[in-house]
């Protein structure tokens, strides 16, 4: 077993940014090509008013969010061990950008500036934990890899941050978002 993990081909940081913003534009374009009636769901006034007074089952939410985020993290960490990691991570960054572009476009079309504020509130405070968790793995790939032990250390440290991000997303964010929605209505 090799002690080092390096990539022959690398993608520069600027390319990852271009992929992310291209993904956002692709998400916006996707929303623009759809019928406006197909986006009634989560960004309707009715749903947001219901969410503002909703009693949340935190155990179920923790299991759901935890399984989603752990799956995403495992996919990124496993992708980082492959020789094609720079390209796989580039694809994941593009999909992330496309998701953000779609959500922001739908919320803006349905609710205007209020929708943009709701989107911004929807990622606080967990984003401060998710950026280091996912960012370290992306930086590893960006730097063309090195020692396997260092990669395992970064993945474990990222898992630590991921756990606190999940806790923040489950226990802090819903309360924060409910307060904002109550003040908006």
């Amino acid at each position: 077993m090799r002690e080092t993990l390096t990539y022959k081909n690398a993608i520069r940081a600027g390319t990852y940014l271009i992929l992310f913003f291209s993904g956002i534009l692709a998400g916006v374009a996707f929303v623009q090509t759809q019928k406006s009636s197909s986006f009634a769901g989560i960004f309707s006034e009715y749903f947001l008013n219901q969410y503002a007074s909703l009693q949340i089952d935190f155990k179920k939410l923790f299991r759901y969010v935890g399984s989603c985020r752990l799956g995403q993290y495992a996919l990124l960490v496993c992708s980082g061990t492959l020789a094609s990691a720079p390209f796989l991570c580039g694809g994941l960054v593009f999909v992330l950008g496309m998701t953000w572009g779609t959500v922001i476009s739908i919320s803006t079309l349905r609710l205007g500036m209020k929708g943009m504020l709701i989107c911004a509130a929807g990622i606080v405070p967990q984003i401060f934990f998710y950026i280091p968790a996912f960012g370290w793995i992306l930086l590893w790939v960006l730097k063309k890899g090195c020692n396997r032990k260092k990669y395992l250390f970064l993945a474990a440290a990222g898992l630590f941050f991921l756990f606190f991000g999940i806790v923040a997303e489950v226990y802090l964010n819903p309360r924060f978002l409910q307060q904002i929605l109550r003040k908006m209505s």
Side-chain angles (χ1 to χ4, degrees):
M1 188 163 92
R2 296 182 332 204
E3 275 302 308
T4 60
L5 177 64
T6 58
Y7 312 111
K8 293 179 182 176
N9 301 319
I11 296 178
R12 296 189 322 200
T15 307
Y16 280 117
L17 285 175
I18 290 170
L19 286 169
F20 179 72
F21 289 115
S22 297
I24 289 176
L25 290 175
V28 170
F30 171 74
V31 170
Q32 295 300 320
T33 60
Q34 303 299 312
K35 294 179 183 176
S36 62
S37 61
S38 60
F39 300 119
I42 192 168
F43 289 109
S44 67
E45 289 286 340
Y46 174 76
F47 178 82
L48 294 175
N49 289 334
Q50 292 296 315
Y51 185 81
S53 60
L54 181 70
Q55 287 287 63
I56 297 171
D57 184 352
F58 291 108
K59 285 182 182 178
K60 286 183 181 177
L61 185 60
F62 187 82
R63 283 194 299 267
Y64 175 75
V65 170
S67 66
C68 287
R69 299 297 174 250
L70 284 171
Q72 292 166 347
Y73 190 70
L75 179 65
L76 184 65
V77 169
C78 291
S79 295
T81 62
L82 302 174
S84 59
F87 303 107
L88 290 172
C89 291
L92 293 172
V93 166
F94 178 81
V95 169
L96 176 67
M98 190 168 175
T99 303
W100 281 27
T102 303
V103 170
I104 291 169
S105 293
I106 293 170
S107 67
T108 304
L109 284 174
R110 301 281 302 157
L111 302 168
M113 288 306 289
K114 181 178 171 182
M116 301 235 355
L117 179 64
I118 292 169
C119 281
I123 61 171
V124 173
Q126 66 268 22
I127 193 75
F128 300 116
F129 296 103
Y130 290 153
I131 286 176
F134 288 91
W136 285 334
I137 302 301
L138 287 174
L139 282 174
W140 167 271
V141 172
L142 188 65
K143 300 287 183 182
K144 296 184 181 182
C146 61
N147 187 315
R148 281 186 192 264
K149 290 179 184 176
K150 186 175 181 182
Y151 185 71
L152 290 174
F153 174 76
L154 287 175
L159 196 59
F160 178 77
F161 275 89
L162 184 73
F163 173 75
F164 284 107
I166 292 169
V167 169
E169 186 173 358
V170 170
Y171 294 105
L172 299 176
N173 182 264
R175 292 181 177 129
F176 177 64
L177 200 52
Q178 284 179 332
Q179 290 297 322
I180 289 177
L181 290 173
R182 286 180 190 138
K183 290 179 182 180
M184 287 181 153
S185 56

